[in-house]
Amino acid sequence: MIPGSFAYHRPASVDEAVALLGQFGEDGKVLAGGHSLIPMMKLRLATPEHLIDINGIGELKGIREEGGQLRIGAAATQADILASDLLANTCPLLPEAAALIADPQIRYCGTLGGNVANGDPGNDMPAVMMALAAIYALRGPGGAREVAARDFYHGTFDTALAENELLTEIRIPTPAPGHGASYQKMKRKVGDYATAAAAAVLSFDGDRCASAAVTLTNVGEAAIFVTEAGDALVGTAVDDTAVAEAAARAMALAAPVSDLRGPAEYRTQMAGEMARRAIRTAAARAKGG
Amino acid sequence: MSDIKEMSLEEREATLGGIGSARKRKEDARFIRGQGNYVDDIKLPGMVFGDFVRSAYAHAKIKSIDTEAALAVPGVMAVITAKDLEPLGLHWMPTLAGDVAAVLADKKVHFQNQEVAFVVGADRYAVSDGVQAVDVDYDELPVLVDPRKALDADAPILREDVQEKDNVGQGLRRHPNHIFHWEVGDKTATDAAFAAAAVTIKEEIGYPRNHPSPMETCGCVASMDATNGVLTVYGTFQAPHVIRTVVSLITGLSENNIRIVSPDVGGGFGNKVGAYPGYICAAAASIVTGLPVKWIESRMDNLSTTAFARDYHMTGELAADESGKITAIRANVLADHGAFNTHAQPMKWPAGFFNIVTGSYDVPVGHVEVDGVYTNKAPGGVAYRCSFRVTEAAYLIERLIDALAQKIGVDKAEIRFRNFIQPEQFPYDSCLGWEYDSGDYPTALKKALEAVDYEGLRREQKEKAAKGELMGIGIATFTEIVGAGPTRNCDIVGLGMFDSCEIRVHPTGSAIVRLGTKSQGQGHETTFAQIVATEIGLPSDAITVEEGDTDTAPYGLGTYGSRSTPVAGAACAIAARKIRAKAQKIAAHLLEVGEGDLEWEVDRFRVKGLPERAATMKDICMAAYSNLPEGMEPGLETTSYYDPPNFTYPFGAYVCVVDIDRFTGEIKVRRFYALDDCGTRINPMVIEGQVHGGLAEAFAIAMGQEIVFDELGNVMGASFLDYFIPTTVETPVWETDHTVTPSPHHPIGAKGVGESPNVGGVPAFTNAVVDAFAQHGVMHMPMPHTAWRVWQTIDELGLNK
């Protein structure tokens, strides 16, 4: 549980960080909260030669609303998300999910950017970002670009982020007032990754569902956006039949591995159950105003 | 002569803070401030570090070990292998169970993460780089994971080193992978009782391999003073004196040249009883380098290599008449001890005190057989917060009696009342050979049932069942056997399992008390001072308790198996009574009366009939050093070695209520009521703390703790990510209660309590979980009761539709 040796860099700006990334290529690794990277280094499963610590970069912090988007700096911590009045009022799904990540001490260190960019299927925020149609702002040597969360994840630790790119900001279209959302996570204990988890974001036009997004955590090689589940809900009153159909479609896409959280069959069933609970809760919240 | 005569008797008693006082734990002042002094806090001048190269395989031949690259790492000073230890005779070590265990793998590895080489270096980083750089070439061998296949004719042979031996320390064996066969009871009479029985039940009941996982892992700092020839080892030892003797036997160093010190120990739970390769290698490395060497386990090392617990595969049977009165018990156990027999039981008891399996019940006849086998897993088999194999035994009987109740349709509380040993039957001789000293089981269960409104709970359960909801009520009425133990039948490496206490009283009325035990969080500094306070009339605040340094403490067998209070606590009381006897002579001298004219009152001797004429203990302390009767030696000191006449038998009645989510299989413990009877209660707050901690561990064991292996013997989930340590969020709220049935043979009537909640808690949880499914015909469900396992039962029964 002792890491190998590495060089430590603490850039003061995004430009400087991007330059370092360009310089070191695959030998460099971004250190944000460190709660995924450092355990991997202590096990020597990760052996970066250069750590680029972005915690000194002021422009990566902060949570604000601009141009119809909620803009969250990549280095904002889960604790920052939990403390934000703006998010509590406009997008309560984010603090709801943040509160289910790890424990309070870790949430003071762990960042939103690290959680979404790391590519670990066990991380909770990728599914939440997919459900909210978030966009990731990336910066590399060639400049800035945007990638939709729904297009970002290719597989386990395999994302659209290039080796020389830095995630700088998460941009979420501010959800319309009256929307309903929920993140339901089943876990063995505080701090655990999900046995299965699901996010649902719904809006209603009268008593009919106008839009629906359903996503899953930790039941595949990456977070899963279940387009078909949303389709099963739109236009319905989100009654038991529609919910059952949406959950069945979610289960059809779930492909978890068997692990100590349970056999694949069980984890698939729990993906369905969490989807059911997320959809029902989101619908109730939407209807409750 | 009294300086506190204005105080009332009650005030004087309160001032003492003696037996029965809920005084705060003295040691907590440093623990909660982070001011404890643990092994890893010890820094000696010139100290270097060591760590292990560990096997990637569960069973393999070692073809070669290349240390060249490791020795080239800056800061690496030495790489020690079995070949280096062999000339010293240290490459294997004797175990407490009569077997031998490899210190460093000798020609082959027997389990994954086994110690293969020990790298010594200037700092932990250099050592870790050195460990990475050692290149070991293996030839994989067939792996034996399932103990049920260990004795097959074609099973791979694990221990070529003892292949030809018909005995590896605990009796005859019948297969190269067999360790021992042990049986007790009357087979013929038991068979006859089963043949004649109106009702019989038989259940396969496993107790999975788990791990005590103390908060602090194992470690040591070994320091060889070559000039004086003295080896000092600071370490996480539950039994420092036993370690000193074992080190002497292994190394040939004279015992007076070995000093073992247990500083503050961050939990043990059985994990820190035995001797580990890390201790031997650190000592050897210190001898080689002439520098102090520190070795500290990582969490993964601890979970995957140092002593595990349980791994008992049990088949239990009960015979009964139509009313559910038990007529016989039969148990057949396969014990997986891993690669070496390093379990820590008294030597004559290869299956510990498993024959307490008749529990709290009056069972006329029984027969028990236990076979131990080797597998390609880490060695161990220690008692994890329980007396030796008692938690396995209690689990079996408490599960079986529930199954019997279900089979004949009798309420699970009622069947216990029908089978309890009655209060008037004590002392009670069990059919499997124990003499239960005392108990009152019906009173305890009645109190428990009333406290939880048992009838109301059963009504609620019926109503819920009608709605398809799953609610379970679990009862456990367990009996422990602790306080090992009488030297006539208990020894470790030949040492009788007595314990000891030395008391030195100072002139100004304070004292230091030293014992052969070693607290790992039990609060000895608090409770033992209270015993002495009551016995000699000095305030417990003025009494220092010290343990763990073999240079200063009297010889003792250490702390495990709830033995500290029953054995060392008794030594404390007896030593204190010797002090008081001398004090009485001094008091007679001071008061110029005959010894027989005096009577003891809280903190003083007074003259019978003249209560105002008294000598306080404080006065007597000074007189012991200044004003003695003619011919009396000065001083007020004594040592007592206590050989207990019998074990003590704490018991309890627990009730657990669970609600189960029928869609996820998740269990919510709604209520847990624990009534413990540990005899005389020394410090009610400490007892409550012990019960809370023990119940939290029982909850963890029942709901999630398991060391899992794949078919290649790879240990799965050996970190706290997977190995279940509940946080405050998961841990239920505990309700505690008590009855008091003092031990008739213990000087103060105390029985020990630290382990009761683990012994009684685990079956209470399982009984509650199974009870939720009893209406659907389920008789048993395997631990741990993880959500997915429970869900599988739900799914098979179609209850989630």
Side-chain angles (χ1 to χ4, degrees), chain A residues 8 11 60 72 95 116 119 145 151 159 180 184 194 205-206 219 234 241 263-264 278:
Chain A
Y8 174 80
L60 292 178
I72 305 173
V116 301
R145 66 177 178 129
D151 300 327
T159 67
Q184 296 287 324
D205 183 1
V219 287
V234 172
T241 312

Side-chain angles (χ1 to χ4, degrees), chain A residues 80-90:
Chain A
D80 292 337
I81 289 168
L82 282 164
S84 164
D85 288 337
L86 173 65
L87 295 180
N89 292 328
T90 58

Side-chain angles (χ1 to χ4, degrees), chain A residues 195-238:
Chain A
T195 301
V201 180
L202 307 183
S203 67
F204 280 80
D205 183 1
D207 61 356
R208 296 281 141 181
C209 178
S211 71
V214 177
T215 59
L216 302 173
T217 295
N218 211 23
V219 287
E221 290 187 352
I224 300 168
F225 178 63
V226 192
T227 317
E228 304 85 340
D231 296 345
L233 298 171
V234 172
T236 75
V238 192

Side-chain angles (χ1 to χ4, degrees), chain B residues 21 59 197 421 449 606 769 778:
Chain B
S21 158
H59 197 198
I421 299 162
L449 298 180
R606 51 179 214 184
V769 173
V778 175

Side-chain angles (χ1 to χ4, degrees), chain B residues 53-174:
Chain B
V53 176
R54 294 179 179 277
S55 170
Y57 301 102
H59 197 198
K61 277 193 180 131
I62 297 175
K63 287 162 68 181
S64 64
I65 303 174
D66 184 349
T67 61
E68 201 183 322
L71 288 166
V73 171
V76 170
M77 304 162 79
V79 181
I80 299 170
T81 66
K83 268 187 195 153
D84 304 310
L85 294 179
E86 190 168 1
L88 304 168
L90 293 179
H91 58 320
W92 290 81
M93 61 178 172
T95 74
L96 297 180
D99 195 4
V100 290
V103 174
L104 290 172
D106 182 19
K107 301 176 196 73
K108 68 180 284 195
V109 290
H110 292 89
F111 62 94
Q112 190 184 47
N113 288 355
Q114 186 179 345
E115 301 82 358
V116 174
F118 191 68
V119 177
V120 184
D123 60 64
R124 285 181 170 169
Y125 294 91
V127 170
S128 191
D129 288 347
V131 167
Q132 287 274 302
V134 173
D135 187 18
V136 186
D137 197 9
Y138 297 98
D139 246 354
E140 286 184 68
L141 293 167
V143 177
L144 176 60
V145 176
D146 185 350
R148 282 160 295 211
K149 294 177 180 161
L151 302 182
D152 289 355
D154 60 350
I157 292 169
L158 307 191
R159 294 283 305 278
E160 286 92 344
D161 62 300
V162 293
Q163 192 176 346
E164 303 304 323
K165 289 189 172 180
D166 64 359
N167 183 331
V168 285
Q170 291 187 313
L172 287 178
R173 64 200 199 117
R174 60 175 188 268

